[in-house]
Amino acid sequence: MLRHMLIARGIDEEAGLLENHGALDLWLSCRGQEAAQVGSAMAIGDEAVIFPSYREHAVAVVRGIDAVSLTAQWAGRTFCGWNPRVHRFFPYTLVLAAQALHAVGYAIGQGLQNTAETVVVYVGDGATSEGDMSEALNLAAVESARVLFICQNNGWAISKPSHEQMLTSIADRANGFGIRSWSMSADDPDSTLLGCLEARRYVETSASPGLIELRTTRIGGHTTTDPHATYREPGELAAAIANDPVVKYRERLVAAGVVDDEWLGAVDADVAKARQELLRAFAP
Ligand SMILES: Cc1ncc(C[n+]2csc(CCOP(=O)(O)OP(=O)(O)O)c2C)c(N)n1
Ligand SMILES: [Mg+2]
């Protein structure tokens, strides 16, 4: 998991720099959300079909999508740089929560064909305010669709804080539709993996939908064009940086003797290679 997190971090940083140089049109950073994304992606495994939002770069890394394929759409070269069938990872969706309906429709279709495929959909906290999300939750509940909704609550919908978006939690709202839910802090990939594993097992054994809210942190701006320091409290931003899940996990595994300099050096070389590939493909 640390390897996936470090590779995602490297791709994310390089893509942000490329956007600053005008080589990409836009970039939406996943900085700070790597533990939520890698922990959940490892829990749902290789077989589940994933309907992502637009910020799930670390999930894409877990699914074996390379740096250039992941970034090509943001350079305007393609609508989707990877083969969704091969990676079982559908194209990014920028229309908020539309992918929730795609996922439920897909799961209902799969159910009719009697396959045991589990469908996973990633949404943000802001996206849960969309009508599509309510329709998707209700339809999934009444049709017993095998969909695991993973909501990354990163505290913000652009500049709107989560606590101003809703009076109840996302997890509570899912219960209102008759869907079992969980809510957990997702700054650590190990506990995130265990929490998501429980949610996945519930969906698979009960053949009904579930929703897990992963409370995470957006360290960067909403996009590369978002001056987020203008609306975030300096203390909140400083705490987010100090709580960086990639740095924390790396330190923890080093201290526990799980990884050593040799292992980290090999991963750093892979990160450098991915960054070089991005530069070769997109640098102006
Ligand atoms: C249907 C729709 N309405 C509005 C937007 C504009 N928009 C893009 S991202 C965003 C905020 C989304 O926040 P959240 O769901 O929490 O995801 P995050 O960006 O934090 O990962 C908004 C309002 C959009 N893309 N689609
Ligand atoms: Mg958000």
Side-chain angles (χ1 to χ4, degrees):
M1 286 200 287
L2 179 60
R3 185 174 189 284
H4 290 311
M5 290 166 76
L6 289 167
I7 299 237
R9 175 61 61 92
I11 294 172
D12 195 62
E13 280 179 358
E14 197 60 51
L17 291 172
L18 281 165
E19 195 277 346
N20 290 345
H21 285 96
L24 303 184
D25 300 315
L26 188 71
W27 183 251
L28 291 100
S29 170
C30 67
R31 195 180 188 89
Q33 299 183 214
E34 294 91 344
Q37 296 191 4
V38 171
S40 59
M42 296 299 281
I44 61 186
D46 295 336
E47 289 306 311
V49 173
I50 299 175
F51 287 78
S53 186
Y54 45 70
R55 204 188 287 286
E56 279 69 63
H57 314 314
V59 179
V61 167
V62 173
R63 278 298 168 96
I65 296 170
D66 66 82
V68 174
S69 306
L70 181 57
T71 312
Q73 119 180 56
W74 305 97
R77 304 231 177 137
T78 173
F79 287 118
C80 177
W82 58 90
N83 183 330
R85 300 267 170 221
V86 170
H87 294 283
R88 304 176 78 69
F89 187 77
F90 268 74
Y92 278 158
T93 306
L94 281 99
V95 181
L96 294 178
Q99 77 277 15
L101 278 173
H102 302 162
V104 175
Y106 182 95
I108 292 170
Q110 290 297 81
L112 294 174
Q113 291 173 33
N114 282 325
T115 68
E117 207 169 39
T118 298
V119 177
V120 175
V121 57
Y122 282 87
V123 290
D125 46 289
T128 67
S129 304
E130 294 287 343
D132 278 4
M133 182 68 179
S134 295
E135 292 174 33
L137 289 171
N138 191 54
L139 190 61
V142 295
E143 294 292 337
S144 299
R146 289 164 59 112
V147 177
L148 176 60
F149 294 86
I150 298 180
C151 178
Q152 286 178 90
N153 184 347
N154 62 5
W156 297 96
I158 311 184
S159 54
K160 188 83 171 164
S162 294
H163 64 87
E164 290 180 15
Q165 298 171 44
M166 58 195 92
L167 297 184
T168 58
S169 75
I170 294 157
D172 283 346
R173 257 190 291 155
N175 295 159
F177 288 97
I179 292 179
R180 183 155 171 209
S181 66
W182 298 259
S183 178
M184 65 178 296
S185 162
D187 291 333
D188 168 57
D190 292 347
S191 54
T192 304
L193 186 148
L194 292 176
C196 290
L197 209 49
E198 184 186 339
R200 172 196 161 178
R201 288 204 179 117
Y202 168 78
V203 168
E204 290 178 349
T205 54
S206 68
S208 46
L211 180 145
I212 186 160
E213 175 186 7
L214 301 179
R215 299 191 305 275
T216 178
T217 307
R218 195 191 81 195
I219 292 181
H222 171 67
T223 68
T224 36
T225 60
D226 175 31
H228 65 129
T230 58
Y231 59 79
R232 289 175 83 165
E233 295 293 334
E236 186 259 327
L237 196 49
I241 293 165
N243 198 31
D244 187 324
V246 178
V247 175
K248 287 255 160 109
Y249 196 48
R250 182 181 177 136
E251 283 173 357
R252 188 149 66 79
L253 295 195
V254 168
V258 178
V259 298
D260 57 17
D261 286 346
E262 191 187 338
W263 185 88
L264 285 167
V267 175
D268 285 346
D270 288 343
V271 171
K273 190 162 161 275
R275 294 180 77 136
Q276 276 298 326
E277 283 166 4
L278 285 179
L279 280 175
R280 260 199 304 276
F282 303 114

